Amino acid sequence: MSRVGVVGVARMTARKDLTVEWRGRVLVNQVLPFAALVMVMFAFALDGDDLLQRAASGLAWMATVLSMFVVISRSFLVDTEDGALDAMRVAGLDMRGVFVGKSVALFVQLFVLNVVLIALSLLLYHVSLTLESAMLLVAVVVCATAGLAFVGVLYGGLAAMSKGRETLLPLLVLPVVAPIVIGAARATEAAYGTAGARVSEGWPWVGLLFVFAVAFAIAGLLSFPALIEE
């Protein structure tokens, strides 16, 4: 039985996933161009500043969720094809650490993606921010991205152990992340000041996103080892 603790396993797993991404450049070469293209297409499709500003908050998060599937699939595809998950399980590594490590790696990648998409939405949809709204937006991005990362790894692990994982993953994840997308979109709407929304209206949604992230972090720690064992 390995003596490496949860923190050590999490550190090794996160380093491995981020190293694979750094060498493969999937985020830069595939995910970011795809997400940016989605945002630009919506900018042309929804002609008119008023309509664009009303839709800006939701479009940024929908582009994030759609792009997230590529990142999750890539992460677990590498682990299953080279037998890394089986090797870690046989070595007796604590799979809770694997869950935490993969969640951290996914969080980092999605955070970078979100920063780019938020900046792009500000540019394309003619949105301006104050210091107060910028603080709210940072809190939204951190909490929502954490929730997406925990959900993505948990259900990505479940799909990775099943046949037809490419089509199964969106079916599993989309209903679960719906509250995150709604909450993040409403909080971002408050940060953007869309339709007269005030910044103070966004903080309760941030609280909801935080609770959701914590709930799925706990659920992942409890159930991820059993999912991988099966």
Side-chain angles (χ1 to χ4, degrees):
M1 181 69 67
S2 173
R3 296 181 180 179
V4 182
V6 174
V7 175
V9 174
R11 187 183 298 114
M12 289 188 300
T13 304
R15 185 186 301 116
K16 174 185 69 68
D17 281 11
L18 291 176
T19 300
V20 169
E21 168 53 35
W22 179 256
R23 292 175 178 174
R25 300 290 200 279
V26 174
L27 181 67
V28 174
N29 295 334
Q30 298 180 26
V31 179
L32 280 176
F34 168 75
L37 181 60
V38 170
M39 298 289 288
V40 172
M41 288 177 61
F42 275 117
F44 282 106
L46 302 176
D47 191 17
D49 289 346
D50 292 339
L51 183 57
L52 280 174
Q53 289 182 352
R54 288 199 302 269
S57 58
L59 293 178
W61 288 103
M62 282 304 300
T64 298
V65 171
L66 293 175
S67 303
M68 179 181 71
F69 296 130
V70 179
V71 181
I72 297 172
S73 297
R74 162 75 173 174
S75 174
F76 281 97
L77 180 64
V78 171
D79 285 344
T80 52
E81 283 192 342
D82 64 8
L85 281 178
D86 291 334
M88 287 186 286
R89 186 171 63 247
V90 171
L93 297 182
D94 195 324
M95 299 308 291
R96 293 174 299 175
V98 175
F99 171 77
V100 174
K102 295 189 79 65
S103 297
V104 170
L106 182 57
F107 174 86
V108 171
Q109 295 176 71
L110 291 181
F111 185 83
V112 172
L113 175 64
N114 275 321
V115 169
V116 174
L117 290 181
I118 292 295
L120 194 58
S121 70
L122 295 176
L123 177 64
L124 290 175
Y125 306 148
H126 310 292
V127 179
S128 58
L129 295 177
T130 64
L131 178 60
E132 186 181 9
S133 60
M135 292 174 60
L136 172 62
L137 194 56
V138 170
V140 174
V141 171
V142 170
C143 292
T145 303
L148 290 174
F150 290 131
V151 172
V153 173
L154 179 59
Y155 284 90
L158 177 60
M161 299 296 107
S162 307
K163 295 181 179 179
R165 55 176 175 263
E166 292 81 5
T167 54
L168 181 61
L169 182 60
L171 294 176
L172 291 174
V173 173
L174 281 176
V176 181
V177 300
I180 298 180
V181 175
I182 294 172
R186 295 298 298 272
T188 304
E189 183 180 82
Y192 286 178
T194 306
R198 297 187 301 273
V199 172
S200 59
E201 297 174 3
W203 288 108
W205 290 104
V206 173
L208 180 64
L209 292 171
F210 178 79
V211 171
F212 193 92
V214 171
F216 266 92
I218 295 173
L221 289 171
L222 294 176
S223 59
F224 188 78
L227 292 177
I228 298 302
E229 287 294 336
E230 293 179 359

